[in-house]
Amino acid sequence: MAGMDIYEDARTVSRSDLAAWLRQLAHQLESDGRLFYGAAGAVSVADTVRCELEIEQESETEVSVEIEFSWTVPTSVPAVDEVEKSPSGDQQAEVTPEA
């Protein structure tokens, strides 16, 4: 089965907003291991993951940093969760940097 894009978001943010977003991701990983995205999505992250950090000089004026982590989902567990709504109808915070 080929890979399938579940969610993608690209935007320009300040370095401070980027740092806050990375802290939010780290907190979600430490708390219950689910990363929230979009309006109603979440993905459960395994206890052990493969991690990659890639830093590239794209051109004379552009540098890119890519952080990637992947894991194998047990066959009895869904790869992507729907966010549960609280009794008040509130959803979990999504994982996107503030613009």
Side-chain angles (χ1 to χ4, degrees):
M1 180 174 156
M4 176 179 65
D5 286 346
I6 295 171
Y7 180 78
E8 184 173 325
D9 182 22
R11 63 181 74 198
T12 300
V13 297
S14 69
R15 185 176 60 229
S16 175
D17 286 343
L18 173 62
W21 178 63
L22 291 170
R23 280 191 291 276
Q24 180 183 16
L25 289 173
H27 176 74
Q28 290 176 4
L29 285 170
E30 286 180 327
S31 62
D32 71 354
R34 292 193 311 167
L35 296 178
F36 297 92
Y37 60 88
V43 61
S44 295
V45 179
D47 291 337
T48 304
V49 299
R50 174 171 162 51
C51 302
E52 293 181 39
L53 174 65
E54 183 177 320
I55 302 173
E56 287 186 71
Q57 181 84 40
E58 301 287 345
S59 68
E60 288 186 27
T61 59
E62 184 178 359
V63 176
S64 70
V65 176
E66 296 179 22
I67 300 170
E68 181 177 322
F69 46 101
S70 58
W71 61 95
T72 302
V73 177
T75 55
S76 62
V77 177
V80 178
D81 307 327
E82 283 196 33
V83 176
E84 297 111 19
K85 291 186 180 181
S86 69
S88 67
D90 293 336
Q91 294 180 350
Q92 297 284 340
E94 63 182 72
V95 181
T96 54
E98 296 294 319

